[in-house]
């Protein structure tokens, strides 16, 4: 399309003028962003149309990835890169005196997710398209993405996020593909031609309008679709109070994870979940029907994947469709449904496993509830036959029990595949969390260790490292990330290691500029950049990190001969708005940061930064600048982690527990290229069974621990005396559920090993190189290829394109 810079510039200038109604000289950066975005989307549209036609005519099996979260971030540069036009655009912009970086900044992050689970969905979409696989995303077009975080006086303050304020250039509204979703009302049944037929009467309908976004594969002409549903009032409302109806309807796609501490919020969340699956299944069937008349072989042509349990109502919804709308009998409908649906579990934390009270579920989704009851009845009967008289077991496994619907049980029973997201996580699911289900369905369980797209997390966000790699081993690694292993040959090449260190230094300088511009705090780019960025949660143990920093502060103060390699501790984390403890930890980090940074004796050695509003676009600046990757969850609690992979791919060394995918990083890089510490998952699970460990003893007997814990409550900080009492209590009075004090000593030791290791620069950069070389395995291309071969059984059709 753009054969030369001249042609591109001409078209761009024309476009800016046509769209903005201004002369190019008068146009703003936003006008230019809008024009470029539109040009790129149109450019992608040609391949979008041909990809869709090709899928339709070849009849290739399609996979649909249903997810309540898609944490996409920005798309402009990503799309330019994947379309292979970033050079022409960059050069042309330079000639026109426009900074592409500045233009990119105008795009709001699409933050339709919280953390790992949502970012994984976004990485998967990129890998599906880049491998030429027919896979599409289905989600919700939230009006407000994840809140914007401000830090005011050390506290987190949440502001509503407005990513759609200036429109979103990548989406296309498809009103003609809108569908109606029924809620409330009641079910009547009649006999028709000897069959029981169900009618949903007096339902309140919500219109689901799809907004499609192109998902561009890396230089392969494949463009898949991400379909996000918007909730709008139906043209035929039955409501008397129209305004109320309009407000309630629109709220369905207004916020990600509405507060569910009360029933109103719970209803809204369940409404969102059914809205997503019902709209998606209707549209999947519609597109299937363009090639096939009967749904008898649906599962041979369609795979539906549910990302955690949020979209698990896809199971009863597909059954409902087959039975009520297509006239199938239960057994046949059940077979088609289970063969179509597969499920990923992303956490073993019991507080995160979804359960809905019947009093909420039944009135909101009366027909779906009847179907879930029937699934439960049949499943319990089967269990009864297999384990006659074993009531306890059946109660533990039932889908409906104690007045609640257990969504994970529904997912396990109604799908053909259940996977964990790292080896250790899958083993914990099989052996500890779901052993009863593993006994009944051993063949459903499988592992798919997570991955990240190396195109965004290395090629796009760390261009200098990407070039250095390509100069050494050619750019083959972009299509085949496992080729990064060729870098192992450079382990003893001191010139190469020197170049690697220079790239890191430049990336650190860049991050320092960003931080200093925002906070006014000067940082030393030659210090070790030790970074922990992730959602704030007790099990991720940001607290352990900050207690260690307090300990270092004490050491520096107590002992004038104590010296360490200068270190900059960087945190980024959002806490869930209602999560009191997590917010206290944010306040503590900021309080410690102030104390440390303002003390000239201490800040010679250590500095502490809390980066406000951690998000995908900021993450892209952070990972390339990291030396140490903090992955310090309580062993057994972090299902996989994916930040650990992003750090590794950018040459940071992991400092972590043997948890989640850290274990597989350890297996690949070897003991000398990772710093591990702390209890193992087996230790933690064993101790937990025994009621934990005695945290009080660690407080009493380890004077380092006693000193830092006392500082939380003795007025050491200028904050109010009881500011950190809850943290102190969580550790001592409530016996530290997360083994922070138990792992403290081991953490201090491993941190001092990091200190030593950094002194030998040659050895450090060798470790860094080995980490990059071994990171290819953690590309989501590998993960997706495994899902494609082993769960979805789909193939690439790229040869036809
Ligand atoms: C959700 C909640 C919600 C209620 C409060 C407690 C709580 C704790 C954890 C969660 C996690 C929800 C699922 C999730 O995001 N899991 C993450 O999925 C990533 C992708 O597979 C994985 O790398 C992370 O280890 C896992 O935590």
């Amino acid at each position: 399309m753009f054969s030369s810079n001249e042609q591109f510039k001409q078209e761009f200038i024309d476009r800016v003028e046509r769209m903005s109604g201004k002369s190019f000289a008068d146009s703003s950066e936003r006008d230019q962003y809008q024009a470029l975005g539109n040009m790129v989307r149109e450019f992608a549209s040609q391949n979008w149309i041909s990809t869709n036609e090709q899928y339709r005519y070849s009849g290739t099996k399609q996979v649909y990835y249903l997810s309540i979260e898609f944490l996409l971030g920005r798309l402009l540069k990503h799309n330019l890169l994947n379309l292979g036009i970033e050079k022409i655009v960059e050069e042309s912009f330079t000639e026109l005196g426009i900074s592409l970086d500045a233009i990119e900044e105008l795009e709001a992050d699409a933050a339709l997710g919280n953390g790992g689970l949502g970012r994984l969905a976004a990485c998967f979409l990129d890998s599906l398209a880049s491998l030429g696989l027919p896979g599409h995303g289905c989600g919700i077009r939230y009006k407000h993405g994840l809140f914007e975080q401000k830090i005011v006086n050390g506290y987190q303050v949440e502001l509503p996020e407005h990513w759609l304020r200036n429109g979103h250039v990548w989406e296309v509204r498809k009103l003609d593909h809108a569908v109606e979703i029924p809620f409330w009302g009641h079910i009547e049944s009649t006999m028709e031609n000897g069959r029981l037929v169900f009618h949903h009467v007096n339902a309140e309908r919500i219109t689901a309008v799809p907004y499609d976004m192109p998902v561009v594969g890396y230089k392969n002409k494949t463009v898949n679709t991400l379909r996000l549903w918007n909730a709008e009032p139906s043209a035929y409302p039955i409501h008397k109070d129209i305004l109320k109806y309009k407000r309630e309807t629109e709220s369905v796609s207004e916020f990600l994870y509405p507060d569910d501490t009360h029933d109103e919020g719970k209803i809204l969340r369940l409404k969102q979940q059914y809205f997503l699956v019902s709209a998606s299944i209707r549209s999947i069937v519609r597109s299937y029907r363009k090639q096939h008349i009967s749904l008898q072989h649906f599962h041979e042509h369609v795979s539906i994947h549910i990302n955690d349990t949020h979209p698990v109502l896809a199971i009863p919804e597909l059954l409902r469709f087959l039975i009520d709308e297509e006239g199938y009998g239960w057994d046949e409908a059940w077979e088609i449904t289970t063969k179509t649906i597969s499920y990923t579990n992303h956490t073993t934390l019991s507080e995160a496993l979804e359960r809905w009270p019947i009093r909420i579920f039944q009135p909101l989704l009366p027909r779906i509830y009847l179907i879930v009851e029937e699934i439960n009845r049949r499943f319990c009967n089967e269990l009864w036959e297999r384990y006659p008289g074993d009531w306890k077991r059946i109660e533990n496994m039932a889908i409906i029990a104690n007045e609640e619907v257990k969504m994970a049980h529904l997912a396990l029973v109604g799908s053909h595949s259940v996977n964990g997201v790292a080896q250790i996580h899958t083993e914990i699911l099989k052996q500890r969390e779901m052993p009863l289900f593993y006994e009944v369905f051993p063949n459903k369980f499988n592992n798919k260790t997570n991955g990240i797209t190396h195109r965004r997390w290395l090629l796009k966000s760390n261009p200098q490292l990407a070039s250095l790699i390509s100069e050494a081993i050619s750019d083959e690694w972009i299509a085949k990330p496992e080729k990064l292993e060729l870098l192992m040959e450079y382990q003893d090449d001191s010139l190469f290691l020197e170049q690697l260190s220079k790239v890191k230094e430049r990336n650190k300088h860049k991050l320092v500029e960003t931080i200093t511009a925002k906070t006014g705090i000067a940082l030393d780019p030659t210090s070790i950049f030790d970074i922990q960025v992730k959602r704030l949660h007790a099990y991720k143990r940001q607290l352990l990190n900050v207690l260690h920093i307090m300990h270092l502060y004490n050491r520096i103060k107590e002992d004038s001969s104590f010296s360490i390699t200068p270190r900059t501790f960087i945190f980024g984390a959002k806490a869930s708005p209602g999560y009191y403890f997590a917010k206290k930890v944010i306040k503590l980090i900021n309080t410690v940061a102030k104390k440390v940074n303002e003390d000239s004796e201490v800040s010679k050695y250590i500095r502490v930064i809390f980066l406000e509003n951690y998000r995908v676009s900021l993450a892209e600046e952070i990972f390339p600048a990291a030396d140490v990757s903090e992955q310090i969850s309580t062993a057994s609690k972090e299902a996989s982690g994916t930040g650990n992979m992003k750090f590794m791919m950018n040459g940071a060394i992991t400092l972590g527990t043997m948890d989640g995918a850290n274990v597989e990083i350890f297996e690949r890089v070897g003991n000398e290229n990772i710093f591990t510490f702390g209890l193992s998952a087996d230790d933690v699970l064993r101790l937990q069974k025994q009621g934990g460990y005695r945290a009080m003893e660690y407080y009493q007997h380890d004077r380092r621990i006693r000193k830092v814990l006392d500082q939380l409550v003795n007025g050491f900080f200028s904050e109010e005396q009881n500011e950190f009492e809850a943290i102190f209590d969580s550790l001592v009075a409530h016996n530290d559920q997360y083994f922070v004090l138990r792992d403290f000593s081991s953490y201090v030791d491993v941190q001092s090993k990091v200190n030593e290791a950094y002194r030998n620069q040659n050895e450090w950069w060798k470790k860094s190189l080995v980490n990059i070389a071994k990171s290819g395995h953690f590309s989501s291309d590998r993960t997706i290829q495994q899902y494609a071969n082993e769960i979805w059984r789909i193939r690439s059709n790229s040869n036809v394109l």
Side-chain angles (χ1 to χ4, degrees), residues 682-738:
D682 281 343
D683 293 337
V684 169
L685 294 166
R686 186 174 34 79
L687 282 168
Q688 261 174 349
K689 270 198 179 156
Q690 299 164 7
Y693 76 110
R694 291 175 213 272
M696 177 63 92
E697 286 178 6
Y698 286 76
Y699 171 67
Q700 284 167 338
H701 298 134
D702 186 330
R703 61 164 289 279
R704 303 166 301 180
I705 291 179
R706 195 164 61 250
K707 176 142 188 170
V708 295
L709 291 203
D710 286 346
Q711 285 168 336
L712 292 176
V713 287
N714 69 5
F716 169 74
F717 298 116
S718 52
E719 325 304 297
E720 280 198 28
Q721 193 86 6
N722 61 356
E723 178 74 86
F724 301 120
E725 215 171 69
I727 294 180
F728 182 94
D729 285 348
S730 81
L731 295 171
V732 183
H734 305 138
N735 200 28
D736 182 18
Q737 302 299 294
Y738 296 97

Side-chain angles (χ1 to χ4, degrees), residues 552-564 601-602 604-605:
L552 285 181
Y553 174 98
N554 293 337
R555 289 278 284 145
I556 296 166
K557 284 295 198 187
E558 281 164 5
D559 177 359
S560 57
S561 67
F562 178 72
S563 102
I564 55 166
E601 204 181 349
V602 178
K604 276 198 294 226
Y605 297 112

Side-chain angles (χ1 to χ4, degrees), residues 116-117 120 308 346-347 349 351-352 421 450 537 539-540 638-642:
L117 173 146
L120 187 77
D308 218 301
H346 293 269
T347 185
L349 296 186
E351 68 267 35
V421 289
N450 282 163
H537 200 288
Y539 83 80
K540 295 179 187 281
E638 188 69 272
S640 159
T642 44

Side-chain angles (χ1 to χ4, degrees), residues 742-786:
R742 178 72 199 249
D743 279 347
F744 181 83
S745 184
S746 167
Y747 186 59
V748 171
D749 292 347
V750 80
Q751 282 287 19
S752 89
K753 272 201 213 156
V754 169
N755 220 26
E756 292 306 312
Y758 198 74
R759 293 208 173 126
N760 187 339
Q761 280 285 290
N762 198 62
E763 283 298 308
W764 182 272
W765 295 111
K766 196 166 153 179
K767 291 184 204 305
S768 171
L769 181 74
V770 173
N771 271 275
I772 301 166
K774 300 285 182 179
S775 70
H777 178 74
F778 298 104
S779 164
S780 45
D781 287 6
R782 186 267 310 149
T783 314
I784 281 297
Q785 199 59 64
Q786 292 178 329

